Amino acid sequence: MSNSHDSHPIVVRRGKARAKPHGNHSWKIAYADFMTAMMAFFLVLWLLSASSPKTLVGVAEYFRTPLKVAIAGGDKSSLSSSVIPGGGMDPLRKDGEVQRATDNDPDAVQKRRDQQEGERLRALKNRLEQIIENNPVLRQFRPQLLLDITSEGLRIQILDTQNRPMFRTGSAMVEPYMRVILREIAPVLNELPNKVSLSGHTDAANYSNGERDYSNWELSADRANASRRELISGGMNEGKVLRVLGLAATMPLDRKDLMAPVNRRISIVVLNARAQARFEAENASAADVAVKARAGQAGEDMKEALGADASAPAAQGKSK
């Protein structure tokens, strides 16, 4: 006979399965971001409404200042008339309004022109040096040719030597080798529109009569003018010569030995724009002074004439 406890049924209890939520709830994150942005937007509006007009102008200028101005300083974009104020894409470049502002600065424009002209003069110097090296005739005279850049422009100096003088002693007669040098470099000088200045130099040897008659002043001027004629014969344009000077022995190369042959030389300067403008302005100012002087003298003569005419009838009236 079985036990009564064995007749109880076995009950198995299982947990109820939970139903999964329906649909995708990721939109709630986007909605929360949107509400946050809206709250920030309304907060900005509230701050702007509570700010003074001066504060609002400062905030606007902060957001309108170009990157280049913020880095390097300068005028704000509100002072600009350009649709797109400021410089270019690179804040370190000089583009856009920055470049236009530089173009309107006379000092910056002049500096840029001087740099460009300096580059052209250096290029001419290199070309002359190449011509000298490539020309067998000129190459043998290379020790007597000095090329350098000065404050006035490109200077070409042809030096005298004891064994190879440029001119006959005490004369402006050009020696054959000097004629070759001048005529070879003459066409190259036409490659730039710059004017040319020529000056002649002598040593300190004086003539027997001193400087009362024909002296080193006349000799140096005659030698410079003879060099001008040879350059023109070699193909240089006649209008390129701005001035011809005779400086005698006032500017020696060898100051320790005033009788040194190197002091006898011809200097050809391809003038830069500044030097050319200065010489032309000096000449123009001298011409203006002469014109004003002549005009003043003419005015005085006219006053005297008018005074004489006015005094003649009065004198006649008294005589009557």
Side-chain angles (χ1 to χ4, degrees):
M1 185 173 198
S2 63
N3 192 351
S4 59
H5 293 286
D6 297 336
S7 61
H8 291 174
I10 298 174
V11 179
V12 178
R13 298 190 180 198
R14 294 186 175 91
K16 294 182 179 180
R18 299 181 180 274
K20 294 182 179 180
H22 298 283
N24 187 0
H25 296 272
S26 58
W27 61 271
K28 295 179 181 179
I29 299 176
Y31 180 73
D33 292 341
F34 172 73
M35 293 304 296
T36 303
M38 289 297 294
M39 182 180 65
F41 174 70
F42 286 112
L43 180 61
V44 170
L45 292 179
W46 176 75
L47 291 174
L48 292 177
S49 64
S51 302
S52 63
K54 185 176 181 180
T55 304
L56 294 177
V57 171
V59 173
E61 289 296 342
Y62 174 80
F63 287 102
R64 295 172 59 188
T65 302
L67 181 58
K68 180 176 179 60
V69 176
I71 294 177
D75 292 337
K76 297 182 176 65
S77 62
S78 59
L79 304 179
S80 170
S81 59
S82 174
V83 178
I84 304 177
M89 298 176 62
D90 185 352
L92 299 180
R93 290 173 55 189
K94 293 184 177 180
D95 294 335
E97 286 190 330
V98 179
Q99 183 63 38
R100 288 198 297 274
T102 304
D103 293 340
N104 294 330
D105 185 359
D107 294 336
V109 172
Q110 185 61 48
K111 183 177 180 180
R112 186 164 61 252
R113 289 177 179 174
D114 292 344
Q115 291 175 348
Q116 293 173 351
E117 188 172 47
E119 293 175 358
R120 290 194 295 269
L121 290 175
R122 283 189 290 272
L124 180 62
K125 176 177 177 290
N126 294 334
R127 172 157 168 70
L128 284 170
E129 290 176 343
Q130 291 177 358
I131 290 176
I132 294 172
E133 292 299 326
N134 297 332
N135 190 321
V137 178
L138 292 179
R139 192 185 308 130
Q140 59 180 326
F141 306 133
R142 186 65 180 90
Q144 293 178 247
L145 295 172
L146 295 180
L147 283 74
D148 61 341
I149 301 293
T150 69
S151 60
E152 293 185 350
L154 170 60
R155 181 174 60 183
I156 307 164
Q157 296 189 95
I158 307 173
L159 310 180
D160 203 348
T161 63
Q162 190 68 38
N163 298 326
R164 188 179 287 158
M166 300 181 297
F167 300 90
R168 295 183 182 177
T169 304
S171 169
M173 185 69 66
V174 181
E175 292 290 354
Y177 94 91
M178 178 66 170
R179 182 177 293 110
V180 171
I181 294 176
L182 292 172
R183 296 194 178 190
E184 286 291 334
I185 67 176
V188 186
L189 300 179
N190 293 328
E191 296 181 3
L192 290 181
N194 304 53
K195 298 284 187 178
V196 172
S197 172
L198 288 91
S199 58
H201 303 262
T202 65
D203 56 25
N206 292 322
Y207 284 79
S208 57
N209 292 331
E211 296 187 354
R212 289 172 294 180
D213 297 324
Y214 193 86
S215 65
N216 285 331
W217 290 102
E218 288 80 11
L219 178 62
S220 59
D222 290 343
R223 287 179 173 180
N225 200 34
S227 301
R228 177 193 63 83
R229 289 193 296 267
E230 293 298 335
L231 287 172
I232 294 174
S233 299
M236 187 187 74
N237 297 333
E238 296 182 12
K240 289 189 70 66
V241 179
L242 182 63
R243 62 178 188 171
V244 178
L245 302 175
L247 299 177
T250 58
M251 296 183 180
L253 276 184
D254 190 348
R255 298 182 179 275
K256 295 181 179 180
D257 183 5
L258 299 181
M259 301 296 294
V262 294
N263 292 329
R264 302 189 295 267
R265 67 194 188 279
I266 294 295
S267 179
I268 305 168
V269 180
V270 182
L271 298 171
N272 56 37
R274 280 182 179 270
Q276 180 176 329
R278 185 172 69 252
F279 298 146
E280 292 175 346
E282 291 173 356
N283 181 67
S285 61
D288 291 341
V289 171
V291 170
K292 290 178 180 179
R294 287 196 298 268
Q297 184 62 40
E300 293 295 331
D301 295 342
M302 184 174 293
K303 288 180 181 179
E304 293 179 1
L306 292 175
D309 293 341
S311 61
Q316 292 177 1
K318 289 181 180 179
S319 64
K320 291 180 179 178

